[in-house]
Amino acid sequence: PEFFEGVDLLLCEASLYNKYLGVVEGHLTAGESGKMARESKAKRLILTHFPHSGDHGDLKKEAGEVYNGEVSLAEVGKVWEI
């Protein structure tokens, strides 16, 4: 997290729900993304690269369990101002 410490916006993958922690190598759970945002002191977290199934709103909840900042889900055409 030192590389991106204090960023205004962290765009981070959330390919897995927390229940799959350690099951798929090379991809992050929503909780791991939240932890990275918290440890790097990011001002906002945007999750992207979602799983193909399930309720993506759960990803936002899972990241928010460990990160107290603003968490959003990436959307096609959505624009965030920094």
Side-chain angles (χ1 to χ4, degrees):
E2 289 180 16
F3 175 72
F4 48 88
E5 188 169 346
V7 296
D8 290 321
L9 185 145
L10 176 61
L11 181 66
C12 194
E13 72 142 321
S15 298
L16 304 168
Y17 298 97
N18 287 347
K19 66 183 179 181
Y20 296 110
L21 178 64
V23 174
V24 180
E25 192 172 320
H27 291 285
L28 298 173
T29 66
E32 289 175 306
S33 296
K35 181 179 177 186
M36 289 177 65
R38 182 190 72 219
E39 290 180 356
S40 67
K41 299 175 183 76
K43 293 183 179 91
R44 289 190 281 176
L45 172 62
I46 299 174
L47 301 175
T48 188
H49 195 202
F50 307 132
H52 295 285
S53 62
D55 181 352
H56 294 157
D58 289 342
L59 298 169
K60 187 175 174 179
K61 291 175 193 170
E62 291 176 355
E65 290 173 1
V66 294
Y67 172 65
N68 292 325
E70 180 184 335
V71 180
S72 301
L73 298 177
E75 300 173 40
V76 174
K78 175 85 176 180
V79 176
W80 283 269
E81 290 192 29
I82 301 175

Coordinates of all heavy atoms in Angstrom, one line a residue:
P1 N 0.8 -1.2 0.0 CA 0.0 0.0 0.0 C 0.8 1.3 0.0 O 0.3 2.3 -0.3 CB -0.8 -0.1 1.3 CG -1.0 -1.6 1.5 CD 0.3 -2.1 1.0
E2 N 2.1 1.2 0.3 CA 3.0 2.4 0.3 C 3.0 3.1 -1.1 O 3.0 4.3 -1.2 CB 4.4 2.1 0.7 CG 4.5 1.8 2.2 CD 5.9 1.4 2.6 OE1 6.9 1.8 1.8 OE2 6.1 0.9 3.6
F3 N 2.9 2.3 -2.1 CA 3.0 2.8 -3.5 C 1.8 3.8 -3.8 O 2.0 4.8 -4.5 CB 3.0 1.7 -4.5 CG 2.9 2.1 -5.9 CD1 4.0 2.7 -6.5 CD2 1.7 1.9 -6.7 CE1 4.0 3.1 -7.9 CE2 1.7 2.3 -8.0 CZ 2.8 2.9 -8.6
F4 N 0.7 3.5 -3.2 CA -0.5 4.3 -3.5 C -1.1 5.0 -2.2 O -2.2 5.3 -2.1 CB -1.6 3.6 -4.2 CG -1.9 2.2 -3.7 CD1 -2.9 2.1 -2.7 CD2 -1.3 1.1 -4.2 CE1 -3.2 0.8 -2.2 CE2 -1.6 -0.1 -3.7 CZ -2.5 -0.3 -2.7
E5 N -0.2 5.1 -1.2 CA -0.7 5.7 0.1 C -1.2 7.1 -0.1 O -0.6 8.0 -0.8 CB 0.5 5.7 1.1 CG 0.0 6.1 2.5 CD 1.1 5.9 3.5 OE1 2.1 5.2 3.2 OE2 0.9 6.4 4.6
G6 N -2.4 7.3 0.5 CA -3.0 8.7 0.5 C -3.7 9.1 -0.8 O -4.0 10.2 -1.0
V7 N -3.9 8.1 -1.7 CA -4.6 8.5 -3.0 C -6.0 9.0 -2.7 O -6.6 8.6 -1.7 CB -4.6 7.3 -4.0 CG1 -3.2 6.9 -4.4 CG2 -5.4 6.1 -3.4
D8 N -6.5 9.8 -3.6 CA -7.9 10.3 -3.5 C -8.9 9.2 -3.9 O -9.9 9.2 -3.3 CB -8.1 11.5 -4.5 CG -7.3 12.7 -4.0 OD1 -7.3 13.0 -2.8 OD2 -6.8 13.4 -4.9
L9 N -8.5 8.4 -4.8 CA -9.4 7.3 -5.3 C -8.6 6.1 -5.6 O -7.6 6.1 -6.4 CB -10.1 7.8 -6.6 CG -11.2 7.0 -7.1 CD1 -12.3 7.8 -7.7 CD2 -10.6 6.1 -8.2
L10 N -9.0 5.0 -5.0 CA -8.4 3.7 -5.3 C -9.3 2.8 -6.1 O -10.4 2.5 -5.6 CB -8.0 3.0 -4.0 CG -7.4 1.6 -4.2 CD1 -6.1 1.6 -5.0 CD2 -7.2 1.0 -2.8
L11 N -9.0 2.5 -7.3 CA -9.7 1.6 -8.2 C -9.1 0.2 -8.0 O -8.0 0.0 -8.3 CB -9.6 2.1 -9.6 CG -10.4 1.3 -10.7 CD1 -11.9 1.4 -10.5 CD2 -10.0 1.7 -12.1
C12 N -9.9 -0.7 -7.5 CA -9.4 -2.0 -7.1 C -10.3 -3.1 -7.5 O -11.5 -3.0 -7.3 CB -9.1 -2.0 -5.6 SG -8.1 -3.3 -5.0
E13 N -9.8 -4.2 -8.0 CA -10.6 -5.4 -8.3 C -11.2 -6.0 -7.1 O -10.7 -5.9 -6.0 CB -9.8 -6.4 -9.1 CG -8.8 -7.1 -8.2 CD -8.7 -8.6 -8.6 OE1 -9.7 -9.3 -8.9 OE2 -7.5 -9.1 -8.5
A14 N -12.4 -6.6 -7.3 CA -13.1 -7.4 -6.3 C -13.7 -8.6 -7.0 O -14.9 -8.6 -7.2 CB -14.1 -6.5 -5.6
S15 N -12.8 -9.4 -7.4 CA -13.2 -10.6 -8.3 C -14.0 -11.7 -7.4 O -14.6 -12.5 -8.0 CB -12.0 -11.2 -8.9 OG -11.4 -10.3 -9.8
L16 N -13.8 -11.6 -6.1 CA -14.3 -12.7 -5.3 C -15.1 -12.1 -4.1 O -14.7 -11.1 -3.5 CB -13.2 -13.5 -4.8 CG -12.2 -14.1 -5.8 CD1 -11.0 -14.7 -5.1 CD2 -13.0 -15.2 -6.6
Y17 N -16.1 -12.8 -3.7 CA -16.8 -12.6 -2.4 C -15.8 -13.1 -1.3 O -15.0 -14.0 -1.5 CB -18.1 -13.3 -2.3 CG -19.1 -12.8 -3.4 CD1 -19.2 -13.4 -4.6 CD2 -19.8 -11.6 -3.2 CE1 -20.1 -13.0 -5.6 CE2 -20.6 -11.1 -4.2 CZ -20.8 -11.8 -5.4 OH -21.6 -11.3 -6.3
N18 N -16.0 -12.6 -0.1 CA -15.1 -12.9 1.0 C -15.0 -14.4 1.3 O -14.0 -15.0 1.7 CB -15.5 -12.2 2.3 CG -15.1 -10.7 2.2 OD1 -14.3 -10.3 1.3 ND2 -15.6 -9.9 3.1
K19 N -16.1 -15.1 1.1 CA -16.2 -16.6 1.4 C -15.2 -17.4 0.5 O -14.9 -18.5 0.8 CB -17.6 -17.1 1.2 CG -18.2 -17.1 -0.2 CD -19.6 -17.6 -0.1 CE -20.2 -17.6 -1.5 NZ -21.6 -18.0 -1.5
Y20 N -14.7 -16.7 -0.6 CA -13.8 -17.4 -1.5 C -12.3 -17.0 -1.2 O -11.4 -17.3 -2.0 CB -14.1 -17.1 -2.9 CG -15.5 -17.7 -3.3 CD1 -16.5 -16.9 -3.6 CD2 -15.7 -19.1 -3.4 CE1 -17.8 -17.4 -3.9 CE2 -16.9 -19.6 -3.7 CZ -17.9 -18.8 -4.0 OH -19.2 -19.3 -4.3
L21 N -12.0 -16.4 -0.1 CA -10.7 -16.0 0.3 C -9.7 -17.2 0.2 O -10.0 -18.3 0.8 CB -10.6 -15.4 1.7 CG -9.3 -15.0 2.2 CD1 -8.7 -13.9 1.4 CD2 -9.4 -14.6 3.7
G22 N -8.7 -17.1 -0.6 CA -7.7 -18.2 -0.7 C -8.1 -19.3 -1.7 O -7.3 -20.2 -1.9
V23 N -9.2 -19.2 -2.3 CA -9.7 -20.3 -3.2 C -9.2 -20.1 -4.6 O -8.8 -21.0 -5.3 CB -11.2 -20.4 -3.2 CG1 -11.7 -21.4 -4.2 CG2 -11.7 -20.8 -1.8
V24 N -9.2 -18.8 -5.1 CA -8.7 -18.5 -6.4 C -7.5 -17.7 -6.4 O -7.5 -16.5 -5.9 CB -9.8 -17.8 -7.2 CG1 -9.3 -17.5 -8.6 CG2 -11.1 -18.6 -7.3
E25 N -6.4 -18.2 -6.8 CA -5.1 -17.5 -6.7 C -5.0 -16.3 -7.7 O -5.5 -16.5 -8.8 CB -4.0 -18.5 -7.0 CG -2.6 -17.9 -6.7 CD -1.5 -19.0 -6.8 OE1 -1.8 -20.1 -6.4 OE2 -0.4 -18.6 -7.3
G26 N -4.5 -15.2 -7.3 CA -4.3 -14.1 -8.2 C -5.4 -13.1 -8.3 O -5.3 -12.2 -9.1
H27 N -6.4 -13.3 -7.4 CA -7.6 -12.3 -7.4 C -7.9 -11.9 -6.0 O -7.7 -12.7 -5.1 CB -8.8 -12.9 -8.1 CG -8.6 -13.1 -9.6 ND1 -8.6 -12.0 -10.5 CD2 -8.3 -14.2 -10.3 CE1 -8.4 -12.5 -11.7 NE2 -8.2 -13.8 -11.7
L28 N -8.4 -10.7 -5.8 CA -8.8 -10.2 -4.5 C -10.2 -10.4 -4.2 O -11.1 -10.3 -5.0 CB -8.4 -8.7 -4.4 CG -7.0 -8.3 -4.7 CD1 -6.9 -6.8 -4.7 CD2 -6.1 -8.9 -3.6
T29 N -10.5 -10.6 -2.9 CA -11.9 -10.5 -2.4 C -12.2 -9.1 -2.2 O -11.3 -8.2 -2.1 CB -12.0 -11.3 -1.1 OG1 -11.3 -10.7 -0.1 CG2 -11.6 -12.8 -1.2
A30 N -13.5 -8.8 -2.0 CA -13.9 -7.4 -1.7 C -13.3 -7.0 -0.3 O -12.9 -5.8 -0.2 CB -15.4 -7.4 -1.6
G31 N -13.2 -7.9 0.6 CA -12.6 -7.6 1.9 C -11.1 -7.2 1.8 O -10.7 -6.3 2.5
E32 N -10.4 -7.9 1.0 CA -9.0 -7.6 0.7 C -8.9 -6.2 0.1 O -7.9 -5.5 0.4 CB -8.3 -8.7 -0.1 CG -8.2 -10.0 0.6 CD -7.6 -11.1 -0.3 OE1 -8.2 -11.3 -1.4 OE2 -6.6 -11.7 0.1
S33 N -9.7 -5.9 -0.8 CA -9.7 -4.6 -1.5 C -10.0 -3.5 -0.4 O -9.3 -2.5 -0.4 CB -10.8 -4.5 -2.6 OG -10.4 -5.4 -3.6
G34 N -11.0 -3.7 0.5 CA -11.2 -2.8 1.5 C -10.1 -2.6 2.5 O -9.8 -1.5 2.9
K35 N -9.4 -3.7 2.7 CA -8.2 -3.7 3.6 C -7.1 -2.8 3.0 O -6.5 -2.0 3.6 CB -7.7 -5.1 3.9 CG -6.5 -5.1 4.8 CD -6.1 -6.5 5.1 CE -4.8 -6.6 6.0 NZ -4.3 -7.9 6.2
M36 N -6.9 -3.0 1.7 CA -5.9 -2.2 1.0 C -6.2 -0.7 1.0 O -5.4 0.1 1.2 CB -5.8 -2.7 -0.5 CG -5.1 -4.0 -0.6 SD -5.1 -4.6 -2.3 CE -3.9 -3.4 -3.0
A37 N -7.5 -0.4 0.8 CA -8.0 1.0 0.9 C -7.7 1.6 2.3 O -7.3 2.7 2.4 CB -9.4 1.1 0.5
R38 N -8.1 0.8 3.3 CA -7.9 1.3 4.7 C -6.4 1.5 5.0 O -6.0 2.5 5.5 CB -8.5 0.2 5.7 CG -8.4 0.7 7.1 CD -8.7 -0.4 8.1 NE -7.7 -1.4 8.1 CZ -7.9 -2.7 8.2 NH1 -9.1 -3.2 8.2 NH2 -6.8 -3.6 8.2
E39 N -5.6 0.5 4.7 CA -4.1 0.6 5.0 C -3.4 1.7 4.2 O -2.5 2.2 4.7 CB -3.5 -0.8 4.8 CG -3.9 -1.8 5.8 CD -3.3 -3.2 5.6 OE1 -2.5 -3.4 4.7 OE2 -3.6 -4.0 6.5
S40 N -3.9 2.0 3.0 CA -3.2 3.0 2.2 C -3.8 4.4 2.5 O -3.4 5.4 2.0 CB -3.4 2.7 0.8 OG -4.7 2.8 0.4
K41 N -4.9 4.4 3.4 CA -5.5 5.7 3.7 C -6.1 6.4 2.5 O -6.2 7.6 2.3 CB -4.6 6.6 4.4 CG -4.1 6.1 5.7 CD -3.0 7.0 6.4 CE -2.4 6.4 7.6 NZ -1.5 5.4 7.4
A42 N -6.7 5.5 1.6 CA -7.3 6.1 0.4 C -8.6 6.8 0.8 O -9.3 6.4 1.7 CB -7.7 4.9 -0.6
K43 N -8.9 7.9 0.1 CA -10.1 8.7 0.4 C -11.4 8.0 -0.1 O -12.4 8.1 0.5 CB -10.0 10.1 -0.1 CG -8.8 10.8 0.5 CD -8.8 12.3 0.0 CE -7.7 13.0 0.7 NZ -6.4 13.0 0.0
R44 N -11.3 7.3 -1.2 CA -12.5 6.6 -1.8 C -12.0 5.3 -2.4 O -10.9 5.2 -2.9 CB -13.1 7.4 -2.9 CG -13.9 8.6 -2.3 CD -14.7 9.3 -3.4 NE -13.9 10.1 -4.2 CZ -14.3 10.7 -5.3 NH1 -15.6 10.6 -5.7 NH2 -13.5 11.5 -6.0
L45 N -12.9 4.3 -2.4 CA -12.6 3.0 -3.0 C -13.7 2.7 -4.1 O -14.9 2.8 -3.8 CB -12.6 1.9 -2.0 CG -12.5 0.5 -2.4 CD1 -11.2 0.2 -3.2 CD2 -12.7 -0.5 -1.2
I46 N -13.2 2.4 -5.3 CA -14.2 1.9 -6.3 C -13.8 0.5 -6.6 O -12.6 0.2 -7.0 CB -14.1 2.8 -7.6 CG1 -14.5 4.2 -7.2 CG2 -15.0 2.3 -8.6 CD1 -14.3 5.2 -8.3
L47 N -14.7 -0.4 -6.5 CA -14.5 -1.8 -6.8 C -14.9 -2.1 -8.3 O -15.8 -1.5 -8.8 CB -15.4 -2.7 -5.9 CG -15.2 -2.5 -4.4 CD1 -16.2 -3.3 -3.6 CD2 -13.8 -2.9 -4.0
T48 N -14.1 -2.9 -8.9 CA -14.3 -3.3 -10.3 C -13.9 -4.8 -10.5 O -13.4 -5.4 -9.6 CB -13.5 -2.4 -11.2 OG1 -13.8 -2.6 -12.6 CG2 -12.0 -2.5 -11.0
H49 N -14.1 -5.3 -11.7 CA -13.7 -6.7 -12.1 C -14.5 -7.6 -11.2 O -13.9 -8.4 -10.4 CB -12.2 -6.8 -11.9 CG -11.7 -8.1 -12.6 ND1 -10.5 -8.6 -12.2 CD2 -12.2 -8.8 -13.6 CE1 -10.3 -9.7 -13.0 NE2 -11.3 -9.8 -13.8
F50 N -15.8 -7.6 -11.3 CA -16.7 -8.3 -10.5 C -16.9 -9.8 -10.8 O -16.6 -10.2 -12.0 CB -18.1 -7.7 -10.5 CG -18.2 -6.3 -10.2 CD1 -18.9 -5.4 -11.1 CD2 -17.5 -5.7 -9.1 CE1 -18.9 -4.0 -10.8 CE2 -17.6 -4.4 -8.9 CZ -18.3 -3.5 -9.7
P51 N -17.3 -10.6 -9.9 CA -17.6 -12.0 -10.2 C -18.8 -12.1 -11.2 O -19.6 -11.2 -11.3 CB -18.0 -12.7 -8.9 CG -17.8 -11.6 -7.8 CD -17.5 -10.3 -8.5
H52 N -18.9 -13.2 -11.8 CA -20.0 -13.4 -12.8 C -21.4 -13.7 -12.2 O -22.4 -13.7 -12.9 CB -19.6 -14.5 -13.8 CG -18.4 -14.2 -14.6 ND1 -18.5 -13.3 -15.7 CD2 -17.2 -14.6 -14.6 CE1 -17.3 -13.2 -16.2 NE2 -16.5 -14.0 -15.6
S53 N -21.4 -14.0 -10.9 CA -22.6 -14.4 -10.3 C -22.8 -13.7 -8.9 O -21.8 -13.1 -8.4 CB -22.7 -15.9 -10.1 OG -21.7 -16.3 -9.3
G54 N -23.9 -13.8 -8.3 CA -24.1 -13.2 -7.0 C -24.6 -11.8 -7.0 O -24.8 -11.2 -8.1
D55 N -24.8 -11.2 -5.9 CA -25.3 -9.8 -5.7 C -24.1 -9.0 -5.5 O -23.4 -9.0 -4.5 CB -26.2 -9.8 -4.5 CG -26.7 -8.4 -4.2 OD1 -26.3 -7.4 -4.9 OD2 -27.6 -8.2 -3.4
H56 N -23.8 -8.2 -6.5 CA -22.6 -7.3 -6.4 C -22.7 -6.3 -5.3 O -21.6 -5.8 -4.8 CB -22.3 -6.6 -7.8 CG -21.9 -7.6 -8.8 ND1 -22.1 -7.4 -10.2 CD2 -21.4 -8.9 -8.8 CE1 -21.7 -8.4 -10.9 NE2 -21.3 -9.3 -10.0
G57 N -23.9 -6.0 -4.8 CA -24.0 -5.1 -3.7 C -23.3 -5.7 -2.4 O -22.9 -5.0 -1.6
D58 N -23.3 -7.0 -2.4 CA -22.6 -7.7 -1.3 C -21.1 -7.4 -1.3 O -20.4 -7.3 -0.2 CB -22.8 -9.2 -1.3 CG -24.2 -9.6 -1.0 OD1 -24.9 -8.8 -0.4 OD2 -24.6 -10.8 -1.3
L59 N -20.5 -7.2 -2.5 CA -19.1 -6.8 -2.5 C -18.9 -5.5 -1.8 O -17.9 -5.3 -1.1 CB -18.6 -6.7 -4.0 CG -18.7 -7.9 -4.8 CD1 -18.5 -7.6 -6.3 CD2 -17.7 -9.0 -4.3
K60 N -19.8 -4.5 -2.1 CA -19.7 -3.2 -1.4 C -19.8 -3.3 0.1 O -19.0 -2.7 0.8 CB -20.8 -2.3 -2.0 CG -20.7 -0.9 -1.5 CD -21.8 -0.1 -2.3 CE -21.8 1.3 -1.7 NZ -22.9 2.1 -2.4
K61 N -20.7 -4.2 0.6 CA -20.9 -4.4 2.0 C -19.6 -5.0 2.6 O -19.2 -4.6 3.7 CB -22.1 -5.3 2.3 CG -23.4 -4.6 2.0 CD -24.5 -5.6 2.1 CE -25.8 -5.1 1.5 NZ -26.8 -6.2 1.5
E62 N -19.1 -6.0 1.9 CA -17.9 -6.7 2.4 C -16.7 -5.8 2.5 O -15.9 -5.9 3.5 CB -17.6 -8.0 1.6 CG -18.6 -9.0 1.7 CD -18.5 -10.2 0.8 OE1 -17.5 -10.2 0.0 OE2 -19.2 -11.2 1.0
A63 N -16.5 -5.0 1.5 CA -15.4 -4.0 1.6 C -15.6 -3.0 2.7 O -14.7 -2.7 3.4 CB -15.2 -3.3 0.2
G64 N -16.8 -2.6 2.9 CA -17.2 -1.6 3.9 C -17.0 -2.2 5.3 O -17.0 -1.4 6.3
E65 N -17.0 -3.5 5.5 CA -16.8 -4.0 6.8 C -15.4 -3.8 7.4 O -15.2 -3.8 8.6 CB -17.0 -5.6 6.8 CG -18.5 -5.9 6.6 CD -18.7 -7.4 6.3 OE1 -17.7 -8.2 6.3 OE2 -19.8 -7.8 6.1
V66 N -14.4 -3.5 6.5 CA -13.0 -3.2 6.9 C -12.5 -1.8 6.5 O -11.5 -1.4 7.0 CB -12.1 -4.3 6.3 CG1 -12.3 -5.6 6.9 CG2 -12.1 -4.4 4.8
Y67 N -13.3 -1.1 5.7 CA -12.9 0.2 5.2 C -14.0 1.2 5.5 O -15.2 0.9 5.1 CB -12.6 0.2 3.7 CG -12.3 1.5 3.1 CD1 -11.2 2.3 3.5 CD2 -13.2 2.0 2.1 CE1 -11.0 3.5 2.9 CE2 -13.0 3.3 1.5 CZ -11.9 4.0 1.9 OH -11.6 5.2 1.4
N68 N -13.7 2.3 6.2 CA -14.8 3.2 6.6 C -15.0 4.3 5.7 O -15.9 5.1 5.9 CB -14.4 3.8 8.0 CG -14.5 2.8 9.1 OD1 -15.3 1.9 9.1 ND2 -13.6 2.9 10.1
G69 N -14.3 4.4 4.6 CA -14.5 5.4 3.6 C -15.6 5.1 2.6 O -16.3 4.1 2.8
E70 N -15.8 6.0 1.6 CA -16.8 5.8 0.6 C -16.4 4.6 -0.3 O -15.3 4.5 -0.8 CB -16.9 7.0 -0.2 CG -17.9 7.0 -1.3 CD -18.0 8.2 -2.2 OE1 -17.6 9.3 -1.7 OE2 -18.4 8.1 -3.3
V71 N -17.3 3.7 -0.5 CA -17.1 2.5 -1.4 C -18.2 2.6 -2.5 O -19.4 2.7 -2.2 CB -17.2 1.2 -0.6 CG1 -17.0 0.0 -1.6 CG2 -16.3 1.1 0.6
S72 N -17.7 2.4 -3.7 CA -18.7 2.4 -4.8 C -18.3 1.3 -5.7 O -17.2 0.7 -5.7 CB -18.5 3.7 -5.7 OG -18.8 4.9 -4.9
L73 N -19.3 0.9 -6.5 CA -19.1 -0.1 -7.6 C -18.9 0.6 -8.9 O -19.7 1.5 -9.2 CB -20.4 -1.1 -7.6 CG -20.7 -1.8 -6.4 CD1 -22.0 -2.7 -6.6 CD2 -19.5 -2.8 -6.0
A74 N -18.0 0.1 -9.7 CA -17.7 0.7 -11.0 C -18.9 0.4 -11.9 O -19.6 -0.6 -11.7 CB -16.5 0.0 -11.6
E75 N -19.2 1.4 -12.7 CA -20.4 1.3 -13.7 C -19.9 1.8 -15.0 O -19.1 2.7 -15.1 CB -21.5 2.2 -13.2 CG -22.1 1.8 -11.8 CD -23.1 2.9 -11.4 OE1 -23.9 3.3 -12.3 OE2 -23.1 3.3 -10.3
V76 N -20.4 1.1 -16.1 CA -20.1 1.6 -17.4 C -20.6 3.0 -17.6 O -21.7 3.4 -17.3 CB -20.8 0.7 -18.5 CG1 -20.6 1.2 -19.9 CG2 -20.2 -0.7 -18.4
G77 N -19.7 3.9 -18.0 CA -20.0 5.3 -18.3 C -20.0 6.2 -17.1 O -20.2 7.4 -17.2
K78 N -19.8 5.6 -15.9 CA -19.8 6.4 -14.7 C -18.5 7.3 -14.6 O -17.4 6.8 -15.0 CB -19.9 5.5 -13.4 CG -19.8 6.2 -12.1 CD -21.1 6.7 -11.7 CE -20.9 7.3 -10.3 NZ -22.1 7.9 -9.7
V79 N -18.6 8.5 -14.1 CA -17.5 9.4 -14.0 C -17.4 9.9 -12.6 O -18.4 10.2 -12.0 CB -17.6 10.6 -14.9 CG1 -16.5 11.6 -14.7 CG2 -17.7 10.2 -16.4
W80 N -16.2 9.8 -12.0 CA -15.9 10.3 -10.7 C -15.0 11.5 -10.8 O -14.0 11.4 -11.5 CB -15.2 9.2 -9.8 CG -16.2 8.2 -9.3 CD1 -16.9 8.2 -8.1 CD2 -16.5 7.0 -9.9 NE1 -17.6 7.1 -8.0 CE2 -17.4 6.3 -9.1 CE3 -16.2 6.3 -11.1 CZ2 -18.0 5.0 -9.4 CZ3 -16.7 5.1 -11.4 CH2 -17.6 4.5 -10.6
E81 N -15.3 12.6 -10.1 CA -14.4 13.7 -10.1 C -13.5 13.7 -8.9 O -14.0 13.4 -7.8 CB -15.3 15.0 -10.1 CG -16.0 15.2 -11.4 CD -16.5 16.6 -11.6 OE1 -16.0 17.6 -11.0 OE2 -17.5 16.7 -12.3
I82 N -12.3 14.0 -9.1 CA -11.3 14.0 -8.0 C -11.0 15.4 -7.6 O -10.8 16.3 -8.4 CB -10.0 13.2 -8.4 CG1 -10.4 11.8 -8.8 CG2 -9.0 13.2 -7.3 CD1 -9.3 11.0 -9.3

